[in-house]
Every structure is written in structure tokens, then in C-alpha cells.
Short mmCIF file of all heavy atoms in Angstrom, two decimals:
data_model
loop_
_atom_site.label_atom_id
_atom_site.label_comp_id
_atom_site.label_asym_id
_atom_site.label_seq_id
_atom_site.Cartn_x
_atom_site.Cartn_y
_atom_site.Cartn_z
N MET A 428 4.57 3.55 16.48
CA MET A 428 4.20 4.64 15.61
C MET A 428 2.69 4.79 15.65
O MET A 428 1.95 3.81 15.65
CB MET A 428 4.69 4.36 14.18
CG MET A 428 4.28 5.43 13.20
SD MET A 428 4.78 5.09 11.50
CE MET A 428 6.50 5.48 11.57
N ASN A 429 2.23 6.01 15.67
CA ASN A 429 0.80 6.30 15.65
C ASN A 429 0.18 5.75 14.36
O ASN A 429 0.80 5.78 13.30
CB ASN A 429 0.61 7.81 15.73
CG ASN A 429 -0.85 8.20 15.83
OD1 ASN A 429 -1.74 7.40 15.61
ND2 ASN A 429 -1.07 9.45 16.17
N ARG A 430 -1.03 5.25 14.48
CA ARG A 430 -1.68 4.63 13.32
C ARG A 430 -1.93 5.63 12.20
O ARG A 430 -1.75 5.32 11.02
CB ARG A 430 -2.99 4.01 13.78
CG ARG A 430 -3.59 3.11 12.76
CD ARG A 430 -4.68 2.31 13.35
NE ARG A 430 -5.26 1.51 12.30
CZ ARG A 430 -6.38 0.89 12.36
NH1 ARG A 430 -7.06 0.94 13.47
NH2 ARG A 430 -6.83 0.20 11.36
N ASN A 431 -2.33 6.86 12.55
CA ASN A 431 -2.54 7.88 11.52
C ASN A 431 -1.23 8.29 10.87
O ASN A 431 -1.17 8.51 9.66
CB ASN A 431 -3.25 9.10 12.11
CG ASN A 431 -4.71 8.83 12.36
OD1 ASN A 431 -5.33 8.02 11.68
ND2 ASN A 431 -5.26 9.49 13.35
N ALA A 432 -0.16 8.38 11.67
CA ALA A 432 1.14 8.74 11.11
C ALA A 432 1.62 7.65 10.16
O ALA A 432 2.22 7.95 9.12
CB ALA A 432 2.14 8.97 12.23
N GLN A 433 1.37 6.41 10.50
CA GLN A 433 1.77 5.31 9.63
C GLN A 433 1.00 5.36 8.32
O GLN A 433 1.56 5.14 7.25
CB GLN A 433 1.55 3.98 10.33
CG GLN A 433 2.04 2.79 9.52
CD GLN A 433 1.86 1.49 10.26
OE1 GLN A 433 1.30 1.45 11.35
NE2 GLN A 433 2.32 0.42 9.68
N TRP A 434 -0.29 5.66 8.38
CA TRP A 434 -1.09 5.74 7.17
C TRP A 434 -0.62 6.88 6.27
O TRP A 434 -0.53 6.73 5.05
CB TRP A 434 -2.57 5.91 7.51
CG TRP A 434 -3.43 5.85 6.29
CD1 TRP A 434 -3.87 4.74 5.67
CD2 TRP A 434 -3.91 6.96 5.53
NE1 TRP A 434 -4.60 5.07 4.56
CE2 TRP A 434 -4.65 6.44 4.46
CE3 TRP A 434 -3.80 8.34 5.65
CZ2 TRP A 434 -5.27 7.24 3.52
CZ3 TRP A 434 -4.41 9.13 4.71
CH2 TRP A 434 -5.12 8.58 3.66
N VAL A 435 -0.28 8.02 6.89
CA VAL A 435 0.22 9.16 6.11
C VAL A 435 1.54 8.80 5.45
O VAL A 435 1.78 9.13 4.28
CB VAL A 435 0.36 10.40 7.01
CG1 VAL A 435 1.13 11.51 6.31
CG2 VAL A 435 -1.01 10.90 7.44
N ARG A 436 2.40 8.09 6.16
CA ARG A 436 3.68 7.65 5.58
C ARG A 436 3.45 6.71 4.40
O ARG A 436 4.06 6.86 3.34
CB ARG A 436 4.53 6.97 6.64
CG ARG A 436 5.92 6.63 6.13
CD ARG A 436 6.62 5.67 7.01
NE ARG A 436 5.87 4.41 6.94
CZ ARG A 436 6.06 3.39 7.74
NH1 ARG A 436 6.95 3.46 8.68
NH2 ARG A 436 5.36 2.28 7.62
N ASP A 437 2.54 5.75 4.58
CA ASP A 437 2.24 4.81 3.49
C ASP A 437 1.65 5.53 2.28
O ASP A 437 1.99 5.22 1.14
CB ASP A 437 1.28 3.72 3.97
CG ASP A 437 1.93 2.75 4.93
OD1 ASP A 437 3.17 2.73 5.00
OD2 ASP A 437 1.18 2.02 5.61
N ALA A 438 0.77 6.48 2.54
CA ALA A 438 0.16 7.23 1.44
C ALA A 438 1.20 8.08 0.71
O ALA A 438 1.18 8.18 -0.52
CB ALA A 438 -0.97 8.11 1.96
N SER A 439 2.13 8.67 1.46
CA SER A 439 3.15 9.50 0.80
C SER A 439 4.11 8.64 -0.03
O SER A 439 4.53 9.05 -1.11
CB SER A 439 3.92 10.32 1.84
OG SER A 439 4.64 9.48 2.70
N VAL A 440 4.43 7.45 0.45
CA VAL A 440 5.28 6.54 -0.33
C VAL A 440 4.55 6.11 -1.60
O VAL A 440 5.14 6.03 -2.67
CB VAL A 440 5.69 5.32 0.53
CG1 VAL A 440 6.31 4.23 -0.33
CG2 VAL A 440 6.65 5.75 1.62
N THR A 441 3.25 5.87 -1.48
CA THR A 441 2.46 5.49 -2.66
C THR A 441 2.43 6.63 -3.68
O THR A 441 2.56 6.39 -4.88
CB THR A 441 1.04 5.10 -2.23
OG1 THR A 441 1.11 4.02 -1.31
CG2 THR A 441 0.20 4.69 -3.42
N LEU A 442 2.27 7.86 -3.21
CA LEU A 442 2.27 9.00 -4.13
C LEU A 442 3.63 9.18 -4.80
O LEU A 442 3.70 9.50 -5.99
CB LEU A 442 1.87 10.28 -3.38
CG LEU A 442 0.40 10.38 -3.00
CD1 LEU A 442 0.16 11.63 -2.16
CD2 LEU A 442 -0.46 10.42 -4.24
N MET A 443 4.70 8.97 -4.05
CA MET A 443 6.02 9.07 -4.64
C MET A 443 6.22 7.96 -5.69
O MET A 443 6.79 8.21 -6.76
CB MET A 443 7.09 8.95 -3.55
CG MET A 443 8.47 9.34 -4.00
SD MET A 443 9.68 9.56 -2.70
CE MET A 443 9.36 8.22 -1.60
N ASP A 444 5.74 6.76 -5.40
CA ASP A 444 5.83 5.68 -6.38
C ASP A 444 5.01 6.00 -7.62
O ASP A 444 5.42 5.67 -8.74
CB ASP A 444 5.34 4.36 -5.77
CG ASP A 444 6.38 3.72 -4.88
OD1 ASP A 444 7.55 4.11 -4.95
OD2 ASP A 444 6.01 2.82 -4.10
N ALA A 445 3.86 6.63 -7.44
CA ALA A 445 3.04 7.02 -8.60
C ALA A 445 3.77 8.05 -9.45
O ALA A 445 3.70 8.00 -10.69
CB ALA A 445 1.69 7.56 -8.12
N ALA A 446 4.49 8.96 -8.82
CA ALA A 446 5.27 9.95 -9.58
C ALA A 446 6.40 9.29 -10.36
O ALA A 446 6.66 9.64 -11.52
CB ALA A 446 5.82 11.01 -8.63
N VAL A 447 7.07 8.31 -9.74
CA VAL A 447 8.13 7.58 -10.44
C VAL A 447 7.54 6.81 -11.62
O VAL A 447 8.12 6.78 -12.71
CB VAL A 447 8.86 6.63 -9.47
CG1 VAL A 447 9.77 5.66 -10.21
CG2 VAL A 447 9.67 7.43 -8.46
N THR A 448 6.38 6.20 -11.41
CA THR A 448 5.72 5.46 -12.50
C THR A 448 5.39 6.39 -13.66
O THR A 448 5.64 6.06 -14.82
CB THR A 448 4.43 4.80 -11.97
OG1 THR A 448 4.77 3.92 -10.92
CG2 THR A 448 3.72 4.04 -13.07
N ALA A 449 4.83 7.57 -13.33
CA ALA A 449 4.50 8.52 -14.39
C ALA A 449 5.75 8.96 -15.14
O ALA A 449 5.74 9.08 -16.38
CB ALA A 449 3.79 9.73 -13.79
N GLY A 450 6.84 9.17 -14.42
CA GLY A 450 8.10 9.55 -15.07
C GLY A 450 8.63 8.45 -15.97
O GLY A 450 9.11 8.72 -17.08
N LEU A 451 8.55 7.20 -15.51
CA LEU A 451 9.03 6.09 -16.33
C LEU A 451 8.20 5.92 -17.59
O LEU A 451 8.75 5.71 -18.69
CB LEU A 451 9.02 4.79 -15.51
CG LEU A 451 10.12 4.64 -14.48
CD1 LEU A 451 9.85 3.41 -13.61
CD2 LEU A 451 11.46 4.51 -15.16
N ILE A 452 6.89 5.99 -17.44
CA ILE A 452 6.02 5.82 -18.61
C ILE A 452 6.23 6.97 -19.60
O ILE A 452 6.30 6.76 -20.81
CB ILE A 452 4.54 5.72 -18.18
CG1 ILE A 452 4.32 4.52 -17.26
CG2 ILE A 452 3.61 5.68 -19.36
CD1 ILE A 452 4.48 3.18 -17.92
N THR A 453 6.32 8.20 -19.08
CA THR A 453 6.55 9.35 -19.96
C THR A 453 7.90 9.23 -20.67
O THR A 453 8.00 9.49 -21.88
CB THR A 453 6.50 10.66 -19.14
OG1 THR A 453 5.24 10.74 -18.49
CG2 THR A 453 6.70 11.87 -20.03
N GLY A 454 8.92 8.84 -19.92
CA GLY A 454 10.24 8.64 -20.55
C GLY A 454 10.21 7.56 -21.60
O GLY A 454 10.86 7.68 -22.65
N ALA A 455 9.48 6.50 -21.34
CA ALA A 455 9.38 5.41 -22.32
C ALA A 455 8.68 5.88 -23.58
O ALA A 455 9.07 5.50 -24.69
CB ALA A 455 8.64 4.23 -21.71
N LEU A 456 7.65 6.70 -23.41
CA LEU A 456 6.95 7.21 -24.60
C LEU A 456 7.83 8.16 -25.40
O LEU A 456 7.83 8.12 -26.64
CB LEU A 456 5.65 7.91 -24.18
CG LEU A 456 4.53 7.00 -23.67
CD1 LEU A 456 3.37 7.83 -23.15
CD2 LEU A 456 4.06 6.08 -24.78
N LEU A 457 8.56 9.02 -24.70
CA LEU A 457 9.39 9.98 -25.41
C LEU A 457 10.60 9.32 -26.08
O LEU A 457 10.98 9.69 -27.19
CB LEU A 457 9.87 11.07 -24.44
CG LEU A 457 8.78 12.01 -23.91
CD1 LEU A 457 9.37 12.96 -22.87
CD2 LEU A 457 8.15 12.79 -25.04
N LEU A 458 11.19 8.35 -25.41
CA LEU A 458 12.38 7.69 -25.95
C LEU A 458 12.04 6.47 -26.82
O LEU A 458 12.94 5.93 -27.48
CB LEU A 458 13.30 7.26 -24.81
CG LEU A 458 13.85 8.38 -23.94
CD1 LEU A 458 14.61 7.81 -22.75
CD2 LEU A 458 14.75 9.29 -24.76
N ARG A 459 10.81 6.06 -26.76
CA ARG A 459 10.34 4.88 -27.51
C ARG A 459 11.17 3.64 -27.19
O ARG A 459 11.67 2.94 -28.08
CB ARG A 459 10.35 5.16 -29.01
CG ARG A 459 9.38 6.22 -29.41
CD ARG A 459 9.31 6.36 -30.91
NE ARG A 459 8.32 7.35 -31.25
CZ ARG A 459 8.58 8.41 -32.00
NH1 ARG A 459 9.78 8.60 -32.47
NH2 ARG A 459 7.62 9.26 -32.26
N THR A 460 11.32 3.39 -25.89
CA THR A 460 12.05 2.20 -25.45
C THR A 460 11.10 1.27 -24.72
O THR A 460 10.39 1.68 -23.80
CB THR A 460 13.22 2.57 -24.52
OG1 THR A 460 12.72 3.32 -23.43
CG2 THR A 460 14.27 3.39 -25.25
N ARG A 461 11.09 0.03 -25.14
CA ARG A 461 10.18 -0.95 -24.54
C ARG A 461 10.63 -1.38 -23.16
O ARG A 461 9.80 -1.65 -22.31
CB ARG A 461 10.05 -2.16 -25.45
CG ARG A 461 9.30 -1.86 -26.70
CD ARG A 461 9.11 -3.10 -27.52
NE ARG A 461 8.41 -2.78 -28.75
CZ ARG A 461 8.20 -3.63 -29.70
NH1 ARG A 461 8.66 -4.86 -29.60
NH2 ARG A 461 7.54 -3.27 -30.78
N TRP A 462 11.94 -1.47 -22.95
CA TRP A 462 12.41 -1.94 -21.64
C TRP A 462 12.05 -0.94 -20.55
O TRP A 462 11.71 -1.34 -19.44
CB TRP A 462 13.92 -2.21 -21.67
CG TRP A 462 14.76 -0.99 -21.93
CD1 TRP A 462 15.18 -0.52 -23.14
CD2 TRP A 462 15.29 -0.09 -20.96
NE1 TRP A 462 15.92 0.62 -22.98
CE2 TRP A 462 16.02 0.91 -21.65
CE3 TRP A 462 15.21 -0.02 -19.58
CZ2 TRP A 462 16.65 1.96 -21.00
CZ3 TRP A 462 15.86 1.03 -18.93
CH2 TRP A 462 16.57 2.00 -19.63
N LEU A 463 12.08 0.37 -20.86
CA LEU A 463 11.70 1.37 -19.87
C LEU A 463 10.19 1.30 -19.60
O LEU A 463 9.74 1.46 -18.46
CB LEU A 463 12.10 2.75 -20.35
CG LEU A 463 12.07 3.89 -19.33
CD1 LEU A 463 12.95 3.54 -18.14
CD2 LEU A 463 12.53 5.18 -19.97
N ALA A 464 9.41 1.03 -20.63
CA ALA A 464 7.97 0.86 -20.46
C ALA A 464 7.67 -0.37 -19.62
O ALA A 464 6.75 -0.36 -18.79
CB ALA A 464 7.28 0.76 -21.81
N ALA A 465 8.44 -1.43 -19.80
CA ALA A 465 8.25 -2.65 -19.00
C ALA A 465 8.55 -2.38 -17.53
O ALA A 465 7.79 -2.81 -16.64
CB ALA A 465 9.13 -3.77 -19.52
N ILE A 466 9.62 -1.66 -17.27
CA ILE A 466 9.93 -1.31 -15.87
C ILE A 466 8.83 -0.43 -15.30
O ILE A 466 8.40 -0.61 -14.15
CB ILE A 466 11.30 -0.61 -15.79
CG1 ILE A 466 12.40 -1.60 -16.13
CG2 ILE A 466 11.53 0.00 -14.41
CD1 ILE A 466 13.78 -0.97 -16.26
N GLY A 467 8.33 0.51 -16.08
CA GLY A 467 7.23 1.36 -15.63
C GLY A 467 5.97 0.57 -15.34
O GLY A 467 5.25 0.86 -14.39
N GLY A 468 5.70 -0.43 -16.15
CA GLY A 468 4.52 -1.27 -15.92
C GLY A 468 4.63 -2.07 -14.64
O GLY A 468 3.68 -2.16 -13.86
N VAL A 469 5.79 -2.65 -14.39
CA VAL A 469 6.00 -3.39 -13.15
C VAL A 469 5.90 -2.45 -11.96
O VAL A 469 5.29 -2.77 -10.93
CB VAL A 469 7.37 -4.12 -13.18
CG1 VAL A 469 7.72 -4.69 -11.82
CG2 VAL A 469 7.35 -5.21 -14.22
N TRP A 470 6.50 -1.27 -12.09
CA TRP A 470 6.44 -0.29 -11.01
C TRP A 470 5.00 0.14 -10.75
O TRP A 470 4.60 0.35 -9.61
CB TRP A 470 7.31 0.92 -11.35
CG TRP A 470 7.73 1.70 -10.15
CD1 TRP A 470 6.96 2.57 -9.42
CD2 TRP A 470 9.00 1.69 -9.52
NE1 TRP A 470 7.68 3.09 -8.40
CE2 TRP A 470 8.95 2.58 -8.43
CE3 TRP A 470 10.19 1.05 -9.79
CZ2 TRP A 470 10.02 2.82 -7.61
CZ3 TRP A 470 11.27 1.29 -8.97
CH2 TRP A 470 11.17 2.16 -7.90
N ALA A 471 4.20 0.26 -11.81
CA ALA A 471 2.80 0.64 -11.65
C ALA A 471 2.03 -0.42 -10.88
O ALA A 471 1.20 -0.10 -10.01
CB ALA A 471 2.15 0.88 -13.02
N VAL A 472 2.29 -1.68 -11.17
CA VAL A 472 1.62 -2.77 -10.45
C VAL A 472 2.00 -2.73 -8.97
O VAL A 472 1.14 -2.86 -8.09
CB VAL A 472 1.97 -4.14 -11.08
CG1 VAL A 472 1.51 -5.28 -10.19
CG2 VAL A 472 1.35 -4.25 -12.46
N LEU A 473 3.27 -2.52 -8.69
CA LEU A 473 3.71 -2.45 -7.30
C LEU A 473 3.11 -1.23 -6.58
O LEU A 473 2.78 -1.29 -5.40
CB LEU A 473 5.24 -2.42 -7.23
CG LEU A 473 5.93 -3.69 -7.69
CD1 LEU A 473 7.44 -3.50 -7.70
CD2 LEU A 473 5.54 -4.87 -6.83
N THR A 474 2.98 -0.12 -7.31
CA THR A 474 2.38 1.07 -6.72
C THR A 474 0.91 0.83 -6.39
O THR A 474 0.44 1.23 -5.31
CB THR A 474 2.50 2.26 -7.70
OG1 THR A 474 3.88 2.50 -7.95
CG2 THR A 474 1.87 3.52 -7.14
N LEU A 475 0.19 0.19 -7.28
CA LEU A 475 -1.22 -0.12 -7.00
C LEU A 475 -1.35 -1.05 -5.80
O LEU A 475 -2.24 -0.88 -4.97
CB LEU A 475 -1.87 -0.74 -8.24
CG LEU A 475 -2.08 0.21 -9.40
CD1 LEU A 475 -2.57 -0.57 -10.62
CD2 LEU A 475 -3.06 1.31 -9.04
N ARG A 476 -0.45 -2.00 -5.70
CA ARG A 476 -0.48 -2.92 -4.56
C ARG A 476 -0.19 -2.17 -3.25
O ARG A 476 -0.85 -2.39 -2.25
CB ARG A 476 0.53 -4.04 -4.76
CG ARG A 476 0.50 -5.06 -3.65
CD ARG A 476 1.50 -6.18 -3.90
NE ARG A 476 1.46 -7.16 -2.84
CZ ARG A 476 2.15 -7.06 -1.70
NH1 ARG A 476 2.92 -6.03 -1.50
NH2 ARG A 476 2.06 -7.98 -0.79
N GLN A 477 0.79 -1.28 -3.27
CA GLN A 477 1.11 -0.50 -2.08
C GLN A 477 -0.08 0.36 -1.67
O GLN A 477 -0.40 0.47 -0.48
CB GLN A 477 2.34 0.37 -2.34
CG GLN A 477 2.67 1.34 -1.23
CD GLN A 477 3.11 0.65 0.04
OE1 GLN A 477 3.61 -0.47 -0.01
NE2 GLN A 477 2.93 1.29 1.15
N GLY A 478 -0.74 0.98 -2.63
CA GLY A 478 -1.92 1.79 -2.32
C GLY A 478 -3.05 0.96 -1.75
O GLY A 478 -3.73 1.37 -0.81
N TYR A 479 -3.25 -0.23 -2.30
CA TYR A 479 -4.29 -1.12 -1.79
C TYR A 479 -3.99 -1.54 -0.35
O TYR A 479 -4.86 -1.53 0.50
CB TYR A 479 -4.40 -2.35 -2.69
CG TYR A 479 -5.26 -3.44 -2.10
CD1 TYR A 479 -6.65 -3.30 -2.06
CD2 TYR A 479 -4.69 -4.59 -1.56
CE1 TYR A 479 -7.44 -4.29 -1.51
CE2 TYR A 479 -5.47 -5.58 -1.01
CZ TYR A 479 -6.84 -5.43 -0.98
OH TYR A 479 -7.61 -6.41 -0.42
N LEU A 480 -2.74 -1.90 -0.08
CA LEU A 480 -2.38 -2.32 1.27
C LEU A 480 -2.49 -1.18 2.26
O LEU A 480 -2.93 -1.37 3.40
CB LEU A 480 -0.96 -2.89 1.28
CG LEU A 480 -0.77 -4.22 0.55
CD1 LEU A 480 0.70 -4.61 0.54
CD2 LEU A 480 -1.61 -5.31 1.19
N ALA A 481 -2.14 0.04 1.85
CA ALA A 481 -2.28 1.19 2.73
C ALA A 481 -3.74 1.47 3.03
O ALA A 481 -4.10 1.76 4.18
CB ALA A 481 -1.62 2.42 2.11
N ALA A 482 -4.59 1.38 2.02
CA ALA A 482 -6.03 1.61 2.24
C ALA A 482 -6.63 0.52 3.11
O ALA A 482 -7.47 0.78 3.97
CB ALA A 482 -6.75 1.69 0.90
N ARG A 483 -6.20 -0.72 2.90
CA ARG A 483 -6.72 -1.83 3.71
C ARG A 483 -6.30 -1.69 5.17
O ARG A 483 -7.09 -1.93 6.07
CB ARG A 483 -6.23 -3.15 3.14
CG ARG A 483 -6.95 -4.33 3.76
CD ARG A 483 -6.51 -5.59 3.10
NE ARG A 483 -5.19 -5.95 3.62
CZ ARG A 483 -4.56 -7.07 3.36
NH1 ARG A 483 -5.10 -7.94 2.56
NH2 ARG A 483 -3.39 -7.33 3.88
N ALA A 484 -5.08 -1.26 5.40
CA ALA A 484 -4.61 -1.06 6.77
C ALA A 484 -5.35 0.10 7.43
O ALA A 484 -5.59 0.09 8.64
CB ALA A 484 -3.11 -0.79 6.79
N ARG A 485 -5.73 1.08 6.66
CA ARG A 485 -6.48 2.23 7.20
C ARG A 485 -7.87 1.81 7.65
O ARG A 485 -8.38 2.30 8.64
CB ARG A 485 -6.57 3.31 6.12
CG ARG A 485 -7.40 4.47 6.48
CD ARG A 485 -6.59 5.46 7.27
NE ARG A 485 -7.33 6.71 7.36
CZ ARG A 485 -7.50 7.36 8.49
NH1 ARG A 485 -6.97 6.92 9.58
NH2 ARG A 485 -8.16 8.47 8.51
N ARG A 486 -8.50 0.88 6.93
CA ARG A 486 -9.86 0.45 7.25
C ARG A 486 -9.90 -0.58 8.37
O ARG A 486 -10.93 -0.78 8.98
CB ARG A 486 -10.51 -0.18 6.03
CG ARG A 486 -10.90 0.79 4.97
CD ARG A 486 -11.65 0.07 3.90
NE ARG A 486 -10.83 -1.06 3.43
CZ ARG A 486 -10.83 -1.53 2.22
NH1 ARG A 486 -11.60 -1.00 1.33
NH2 ARG A 486 -10.07 -2.53 1.88
N ARG A 487 -8.79 -1.26 8.62
CA ARG A 487 -8.77 -2.36 9.59
C ARG A 487 -9.06 -1.83 10.99
O ARG A 487 -8.47 -0.87 11.43
CB ARG A 487 -7.41 -3.03 9.57
CG ARG A 487 -7.37 -4.28 10.42
CD ARG A 487 -6.05 -4.98 10.32
NE ARG A 487 -5.74 -5.26 8.92
CZ ARG A 487 -4.52 -5.25 8.43
NH1 ARG A 487 -3.50 -4.98 9.19
NH2 ARG A 487 -4.31 -5.52 7.16
N PRO A 488 -9.99 -2.49 11.71
CA PRO A 488 -10.29 -2.05 13.08
C PRO A 488 -9.11 -2.37 14.01
O PRO A 488 -8.35 -3.30 13.78
CB PRO A 488 -11.52 -2.85 13.46
CG PRO A 488 -11.49 -4.05 12.58
CD PRO A 488 -10.82 -3.61 11.31
N THR A 489 -9.01 -1.59 15.05
CA THR A 489 -7.94 -1.84 16.01
C THR A 489 -8.34 -3.00 16.91
O THR A 489 -9.51 -3.25 17.16
CB THR A 489 -7.69 -0.60 16.88
OG1 THR A 489 -8.90 -0.25 17.53
CG2 THR A 489 -7.21 0.56 16.03
N HIS A 490 -7.35 -3.73 17.38
CA HIS A 490 -7.58 -4.88 18.25
C HIS A 490 -7.14 -4.55 19.66
O HIS A 490 -6.33 -3.64 19.87
CB HIS A 490 -6.81 -6.10 17.73
CG HIS A 490 -7.23 -6.51 16.36
ND1 HIS A 490 -8.48 -6.99 16.07
CD2 HIS A 490 -6.57 -6.48 15.18
CE1 HIS A 490 -8.56 -7.24 14.78
NE2 HIS A 490 -7.42 -6.94 14.21
N PRO A 491 -7.62 -5.30 20.63
CA PRO A 491 -7.18 -5.07 22.00
C PRO A 491 -5.67 -5.25 22.12
O PRO A 491 -5.04 -5.90 21.28
CB PRO A 491 -7.90 -6.16 22.80
CG PRO A 491 -9.02 -6.61 21.95
CD PRO A 491 -8.61 -6.35 20.54
N PRO A 492 -5.05 -4.68 23.15
CA PRO A 492 -3.60 -4.73 23.27
C PRO A 492 -3.02 -6.14 23.34
O PRO A 492 -1.90 -6.37 22.94
CB PRO A 492 -3.30 -3.97 24.56
CG PRO A 492 -4.54 -3.27 24.92
CD PRO A 492 -5.66 -3.90 24.17
N ASN A 493 -3.77 -7.10 23.87
CA ASN A 493 -3.21 -8.44 24.00
C ASN A 493 -3.27 -9.23 22.70
O ASN A 493 -2.82 -10.36 22.64
CB ASN A 493 -3.90 -9.22 25.12
CG ASN A 493 -5.38 -9.43 24.86
OD1 ASN A 493 -5.90 -8.98 23.84
ND2 ASN A 493 -6.04 -10.09 25.78
N GLY A 494 -3.87 -8.67 21.66
CA GLY A 494 -3.88 -9.30 20.36
C GLY A 494 -5.04 -10.26 20.12
O GLY A 494 -5.16 -10.84 19.06
N THR A 495 -5.92 -10.44 21.09
CA THR A 495 -7.06 -11.33 20.87
C THR A 495 -8.17 -10.58 20.17
O THR A 495 -8.42 -9.41 20.46
CB THR A 495 -7.59 -11.89 22.21
OG1 THR A 495 -7.99 -10.80 23.03
CG2 THR A 495 -6.52 -12.71 22.92
N ARG A 496 -8.84 -11.25 19.28
CA ARG A 496 -9.92 -10.61 18.53
C ARG A 496 -11.28 -10.89 19.17
O ARG A 496 -12.22 -10.15 18.96
CB ARG A 496 -9.94 -11.12 17.10
CG ARG A 496 -8.75 -10.69 16.32
CD ARG A 496 -8.89 -11.16 14.91
NE ARG A 496 -7.72 -10.74 14.15
CZ ARG A 496 -7.69 -10.70 12.85
NH1 ARG A 496 -8.73 -11.05 12.15
NH2 ARG A 496 -6.62 -10.32 12.22
N HIS A 497 -11.40 -11.96 19.91
CA HIS A 497 -12.70 -12.35 20.44
C HIS A 497 -12.65 -12.38 21.96
O HIS A 497 -11.61 -12.61 22.57
CB HIS A 497 -13.07 -13.75 19.94
CG HIS A 497 -13.06 -13.86 18.45
ND1 HIS A 497 -14.00 -13.26 17.65
CD2 HIS A 497 -12.18 -14.45 17.60
CE1 HIS A 497 -13.72 -13.51 16.38
NE2 HIS A 497 -12.61 -14.22 16.33
N GLN A 498 -13.79 -12.17 22.53
CA GLN A 498 -13.90 -12.24 24.00
C GLN A 498 -13.99 -13.71 24.39
O GLN A 498 -14.58 -14.52 23.69
CB GLN A 498 -15.16 -11.51 24.47
CG GLN A 498 -15.14 -10.03 24.17
CD GLN A 498 -14.05 -9.32 24.97
OE1 GLN A 498 -13.73 -9.73 26.08
NE2 GLN A 498 -13.49 -8.28 24.39
N PRO A 499 -13.42 -14.08 25.54
CA PRO A 499 -13.52 -15.48 25.98
C PRO A 499 -14.97 -15.83 26.32
O PRO A 499 -15.75 -14.98 26.74
CB PRO A 499 -12.63 -15.55 27.21
CG PRO A 499 -12.39 -14.15 27.62
CD PRO A 499 -12.64 -13.27 26.43
N ARG A 500 -15.31 -17.09 26.10
CA ARG A 500 -16.67 -17.52 26.39
C ARG A 500 -16.88 -17.66 27.89
O ARG A 500 -15.98 -17.99 28.62
CB ARG A 500 -16.94 -18.88 25.74
CG ARG A 500 -16.98 -18.79 24.25
CD ARG A 500 -17.35 -20.15 23.70
NE ARG A 500 -17.40 -20.07 22.25
CZ ARG A 500 -18.15 -20.87 21.52
NH1 ARG A 500 -18.86 -21.79 22.08
NH2 ARG A 500 -18.15 -20.74 20.23
N SER A 501 -18.12 -17.41 28.30
CA SER A 501 -18.44 -17.58 29.72
C SER A 501 -18.66 -19.07 29.99
O SER A 501 -19.15 -19.80 29.14
CB SER A 501 -19.68 -16.77 30.08
OG SER A 501 -20.78 -17.21 29.31
N PRO A 502 -18.31 -19.54 31.20
CA PRO A 502 -18.41 -20.98 31.48
C PRO A 502 -19.83 -21.43 31.85
O PRO A 502 -20.00 -22.17 32.78
CB PRO A 502 -17.44 -21.15 32.66
CG PRO A 502 -17.44 -19.83 33.33
CD PRO A 502 -17.66 -18.82 32.25
N ASN A 503 -20.84 -21.01 31.15
CA ASN A 503 -22.23 -21.42 31.46
C ASN A 503 -22.51 -22.79 30.98
O ASN A 503 -22.43 -23.36 30.07
CB ASN A 503 -23.23 -20.44 30.88
CG ASN A 503 -23.19 -19.14 31.63
OD1 ASN A 503 -22.71 -19.09 32.76
ND2 ASN A 503 -23.67 -18.09 31.01
#
């Protein structure tokens, strides 16, 4: 998968999670139920983590195809 396409997918999932969180918190406020607020709080933490991981993956530099990060030393 293309790196930009993956980032867009991660960002869209994060936005969808944020919408679910907002719905849960709003429902908890309107219904005055603590268990729904607790689920919304846990979902909010997971949403923030997903957003952080998506942003971190976006900033990460690409590595060479063989997976090595460093160039081999010269035999001097």
C-alpha cells in the first residue's frame, strides 16, 4: 500500500473514532448514564492513541528496501 494512502486511511479511521467518541459522550450527557460515559472515555483514549500513531508513522523517514538503517562501515 502506498504510504500516503495508508496515512489517509489511518486519519479517516481516527476521524471516525472521534465521531463515535463525540456521540458516546453526548449520549451519556443526555441520558445521564455513567457506564456510557465510561465507554466514551475509553474510546477517547484509544482514539487519541490511534491519532498519535498515525501522525508518528507519517513523520517516520523511509528506510532502504533491505530494511537496514545504517550504511556498512568501510574496512579502513
Side-chain angles (χ1 to χ4, degrees):
M428 177 182 284
N429 185 347
R430 192 168 177 195
N431 285 331
Q433 184 178 4
W434 186 82
V435 169
R436 186 195 65 191
D437 289 344
S439 64
V440 168
T441 302
L442 287 175
M443 193 168 42
D444 282 344
V447 169
T448 301
L451 285 171
I452 299 292
T453 303
L456 289 174
L457 292 175
L458 298 173
R459 295 186 177 124
T460 56
R461 290 184 182 174
W462 64 269
L463 193 57
I466 292 172
V469 170
W470 202 284
V472 169
L473 294 175
T474 300
L475 290 173
R476 183 178 180 275
Q477 173 67 25
Y479 169 74
L480 291 175
R483 192 176 77 173
R485 174 84 167 132
R486 287 186 306 212
R487 187 176 305 146
T489 58
H490 299 295
N493 62 359
T495 59
R496 293 184 180 198
H497 304 289
Q498 296 294 329
R500 292 184 179 206
S501 60
N503 289 340

